[in-house]
Amino acid sequence: MRLYVIRHSAAGNRSAWDKPDDLRPLSGKGRRQADAIADTLASAGISRLVSSPSVRCVQSLEPLAQRLGQKVEVDERLAEGRDGEEALDLANELRKKVDAAALCSHGDVIPDMLRILKATTARFKEPLLWPKASTWVVTWDSGRWSKARYIPPPEL
């Protein structure tokens, strides 16, 4: 199983947004990044797309969903402020059901999840990074999350 863990694309300045933060949409740059992520992952065999409920996360997966003819599912375990263990629980549920899935979350959940994987079972070739619009490909093999590979944000 391959799990594509995506940090949401650019969403503009949090301090300039005067509504609830979970409603903050992608910026123009973020929409271009989401399109580029879809270009990269469209042929990856992904059969489930799961996002934090935040608009910017859902919007980060929408271009890929359109290309794959799928819906973006929302799961609170990926919401900002949650922890990596909860995201890993979701990943473990998905690995029993599909060969490839994409998750979109935030800059607090993703590093927590990656640190847990690195401390337990997975080999990382690259340093832990999680800029906006970056992706980690985590592979389940031989009964464990065995390795993780970094895909940097798309160059626009």
Side-chain angles (χ1 to χ4, degrees):
M1 194 267 187
R2 285 175 327 284
L3 183 69
Y4 296 84
V5 182
I6 303 162
R7 175 146 184 225
H8 68 78
S9 299
N13 190 331
R14 185 184 299 247
S15 62
W17 181 253
D18 61 358
K19 296 181 178 107
D21 191 56
D22 61 326
L23 299 178
R24 186 163 44 104
L26 294 181
S27 63
K29 177 182 179 181
R31 288 190 296 278
R32 291 189 303 277
Q33 288 173 324
D35 285 336
I37 290 168
D39 290 342
T40 300
L41 300 182
S43 62
I46 295 168
S47 57
R48 295 277 294 275
L49 301 168
V50 187
S51 173
S52 158
S54 294
V55 168
R56 60 193 176 274
C57 287
V58 173
Q59 288 179 336
S60 294
L61 289 180
E62 283 176 340
L64 182 58
Q66 289 172 355
R67 291 197 184 143
L68 299 177
Q70 296 180 25
K71 291 182 180 178
V72 177
E73 303 170 44
V74 170
D75 194 300
E76 288 288 335
R77 292 174 285 186
L78 298 173
E80 192 167 31
R82 301 301 280 260
D83 64 46
E85 287 287 350
E86 292 175 288
L88 279 173
D89 287 344
L90 173 59
N92 284 319
E93 289 172 19
L94 290 169
R95 74 170 169 78
K96 297 173 185 175
K97 299 175 182 177
V98 297
D99 291 331
L103 306 180
C104 188
S105 192
H106 301 272
D108 59 345
V109 177
I110 290 172
D112 194 34
M113 180 183 185
L114 295 174
R115 286 183 192 112
I116 293 166
L117 288 169
K118 187 172 185 177
T120 55
T121 63
R123 289 183 338 265
F124 286 71
K125 290 184 179 179
E126 297 91 2
L128 294 182
L129 304 168
W130 49 89
K132 290 178 182 168
S134 63
T135 303
W136 280 93
V137 185
V138 185
T139 304
W140 179 269
D141 187 36
S142 302
R144 64 187 179 92
W145 294 109
S146 61
K147 58 187 171 185
R149 177 176 56 89
Y150 177 70
I151 301 173
E155 291 185 25
L156 302 176

